[in-house]
């Protein structure tokens, strides 16, 4: 299979799973009113999705290495379809939280395993560009989920948005089943072998550096997202649609990165890309802390999206080289670190907003992400003296 066809097949599940994960954020206010809950409570649906997504990774990674990444993806997409279909009929917040937990765990079998498959089938010289092309689908899923979900929710309700998401995942499941119908079956899962692979990965100092960087990156950048809609409503800056457009700026920034990535790699190099990513994301958080209208938030989030993907796409490319013989396990630990950070970021940002206010909370996050860029630029431009077996 050509790399182009591979990316097209993987893009369907990347788009659908990302849309299903991000669609809730601009609908926080609408869901809260409909289910007689508070925006602060419903905002935690993001953590309910992200935490199981994270904690399933150490399980899915070695299973994917042992049984075959394509087979595991098909099962995961089928479970995601069922969870989303049931969410359409959720009668209360408690049921919706439970279903988001199931959906998050199932969605964990889409993007990380896709990244591992690209690592298997595309050589390192072309891998960062190939990953950026795949990320276009993921980014568009974010854009659609964060922007159009808010607009659609005002027209067809949040249950209608969940219906649309269910249909998307059904199409992704069909594309994956047809596209990988000739995939060779994997072997058998062996717990001892899985633990040995993890031991080898974690014995690599660069692995610990990458997992730590992506954990802190996620805390700093993603904590603010579920609060954009409630904060806009509080200051009269707009409703779900405006919040969706503002959050969609993040995805637009990612698309800009995907267009510029080849030029950046050729003209800037890894070190400057990482430095720039940290400073762009930090500047964006400072602007968000000013508490402007949705248009200013959209510009800030566009800049944040550009900075985030400059950092994150570089991390992803390096992670795929940590353990070529256990690539799904390495990518799984990377995703585990990322989504743990994302879930923790939501909690920490909520604490910060309550105790030191918007400007203080985003200011601290800005300093942290600049530090991530500086640290990554230093650490990842040094040669890797140890690789996991």
């Amino acid at each position: 299979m050509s790399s182009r066809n591979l990316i097209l097949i993987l893009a369907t599940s990347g788009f659908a799973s990302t849309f299903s994960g991000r669609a809730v954020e601009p609908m926080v206010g609408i869901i809260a009113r409909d289910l007689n809950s508070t925006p602060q409570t419903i905002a935690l649906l993001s953590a309910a999705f992200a935490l199981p997504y994270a904690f399933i990774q150490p399980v899915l990674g070695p299973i994917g290495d042992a049984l075959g990444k394509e087979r595991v993806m098909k099962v995961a997409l089928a479970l995601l379809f069922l969870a989303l279909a049931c969410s359409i009929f959720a009668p209360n917040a408690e049921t919706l939280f439970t279903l988001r937990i199931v959906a998050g765990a199932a969605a964990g079998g889409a993007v990380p395993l896709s990244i591992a498959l690209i690592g298997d089938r595309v050589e390192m010289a072309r891998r960062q560009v190939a990953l950026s092309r795949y990320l276009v689908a993921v980014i568009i899923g974010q854009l659609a989920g964060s922007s159009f979900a808010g607009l659609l929710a005002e027209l067809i309700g949040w249950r209608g948005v969940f219906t649309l998401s269910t249909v998307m995942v059904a199409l992704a499941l069909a594309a994956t089943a047809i596209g990988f119908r000739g995939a060779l079956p994997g072997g058998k899962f062996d717990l001892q072998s899985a633990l040995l692979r993890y031991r080898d990965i974690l014995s690599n100092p660069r692995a610990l550096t990458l997992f730590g960087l992506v954990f802190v990156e996620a805390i700093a950048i993603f904590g603010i997202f579920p609060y954009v809609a409630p904060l806009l409503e509080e200051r009269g800056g707009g409703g779900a649609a405006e919040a969706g457009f503002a959050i969609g700026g993040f995805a637009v920034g990612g698309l800009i990165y995907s267009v510029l990535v080849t030029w950046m790699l050729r003209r800037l190099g890894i070190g400057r890309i990482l430095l720039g990513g940290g400073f762009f994301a930090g500047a964006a958080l400072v602007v968000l802390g000013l508490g402007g209208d949705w248009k200013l938030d959209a510009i800030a989030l566009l800049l944040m999206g550009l900075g985030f993907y400059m950092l994150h796409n570089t991390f992803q490319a390096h992670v795929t080289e940590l353990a070529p013989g256990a690539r799904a396990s390495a990518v799984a630990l990377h995703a585990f670190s990322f989504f743990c950070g994302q879930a923790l970021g939501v909690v920490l940002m909520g604490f910060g907003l309550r105790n030191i206010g918007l400007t203080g909370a985003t200011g601290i996050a800005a300093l942290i992400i600049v530090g991530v860029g500086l640290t990554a630029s230093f650490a990842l431009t040094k040669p890797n003296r140890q690789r996991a077996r």
Side-chain angles (χ1 to χ4, degrees):
M1 181 186 298
S2 69
S3 60
R4 180 181 179 182
N5 289 339
L6 172 69
I7 291 171
L8 285 174
I9 292 169
L10 297 177
T12 60
S13 61
F15 174 87
S17 63
T18 307
F19 180 94
S20 69
R22 299 305 295 272
V24 166
E25 289 168 357
M27 302 192 298
V28 165
I30 293 174
I31 296 174
R33 287 190 291 272
D34 189 57
L35 297 182
N36 297 316
S37 187
T38 65
Q40 290 74 21
T41 299
I42 298 300
L44 294 175
L45 283 171
S46 292
F49 187 92
L51 276 175
Y53 191 119
F55 283 107
I56 201 69
Q57 294 306 318
V59 178
L60 289 181
I63 290 176
D65 281 327
L67 303 183
K69 302 172 186 66
E70 300 91 341
R71 295 171 67 190
V72 176
M73 283 182 64
K74 293 172 189 177
V75 174
L77 288 171
L79 292 174
L80 178 58
F81 167 78
L82 291 173
L84 292 172
C86 292
S87 297
I88 300 169
F89 308 101
N92 51 51
E94 292 77 12
T95 302
L96 189 57
F97 266 96
T98 300
L99 291 169
R100 290 304 284 174
I101 290 170
V102 176
V111 175
L113 288 176
S114 294
I115 292 171
L117 275 168
I118 292 171
D120 286 345
R121 303 191 185 196
V122 181
E123 67 269 18
M124 186 61 186
R126 297 190 297 119
R127 194 174 300 158
Q128 187 159 349
V129 174
L131 284 169
S132 73
R133 299 293 180 256
Y134 165 71
L135 285 175
V136 169
V138 175
I139 293 165
I140 293 174
Q142 290 178 341
L143 179 60
S146 57
S147 297
F148 297 119
L151 181 61
L152 288 171
E154 295 187 340
L155 299 174
I156 61 176
W158 65 271
R159 297 181 193 275
V161 174
F162 271 105
T163 301
L164 177 62
S165 185
T166 302
V167 172
M168 290 179 180
V169 172
L171 294 174
L173 175 58
T176 302
I178 294 170
F180 292 125
R181 62 185 180 278
L184 295 175
K188 295 182 179 180
F189 175 74
D190 178 69
L191 179 60
Q192 184 176 3
S193 297
L195 293 175
L196 288 174
R197 283 195 293 268
Y198 277 139
R199 186 196 66 182
D200 288 344
I201 293 167
L202 293 173
S203 69
N204 185 344
R206 179 160 292 202
L208 299 179
T209 299
L210 284 163
F211 300 153
L213 286 170
V214 80
F215 175 74
V216 179
E217 169 201 54
I219 290 174
I221 287 182
F222 285 93
I224 191 64
F225 277 81
Y227 302 101
V228 171
L231 287 168
L232 277 174
E233 287 188 13
E234 281 181 15
R235 60 179 184 257
E242 287 79 10
F245 288 129
I247 295 170
F250 185 86
V252 174
L255 291 174
I256 292 172
Y257 167 76
S258 71
V259 171
L260 297 178
V261 59
T262 302
W263 176 86
M264 287 182 179
L265 288 168
R266 185 174 63 249
R267 302 298 290 272
L268 301 179
I270 296 298
R272 291 179 181 175
I273 289 173
L274 292 167
L275 280 174
F279 280 107
F280 285 159
L285 283 161
V286 170
V287 174
L288 285 172
L290 299 177
D293 63 12
W294 71 269
K295 294 183 287 295
L296 184 62
D297 284 356
I299 293 170
L301 284 162
L302 184 152
L303 185 63
M304 184 189 287
L306 175 61
F308 167 74
Y309 282 103
M310 290 171 72
L311 293 168
H312 197 69
N313 185 230
T314 306
F315 296 160
Q316 287 176 324
H318 281 263
V319 164
T320 61
E321 276 299 288
L322 287 175
R327 194 164 269 127
S329 297
V331 174
L333 286 177
H334 176 265
F336 172 76
S337 303
F338 177 64
F339 279 91
C340 281
Q342 190 173 137
L344 181 59
V346 173
V347 177
L348 292 177
M349 180 58 69
F351 178 83
L353 291 173
R354 289 190 300 272
N355 291 278
I356 61 176
L358 176 63
T359 303
T362 55
I364 291 173
L367 290 174
I368 291 172
I369 198 62
V370 170
V372 168
L374 288 168
T375 303
S377 179
F378 172 76
L380 300 186
T381 52
K382 296 191 300 182
N384 187 12
R385 300 187 184 279
Q386 179 180 356
R387 288 176 60 173
R389 293 188 293 272

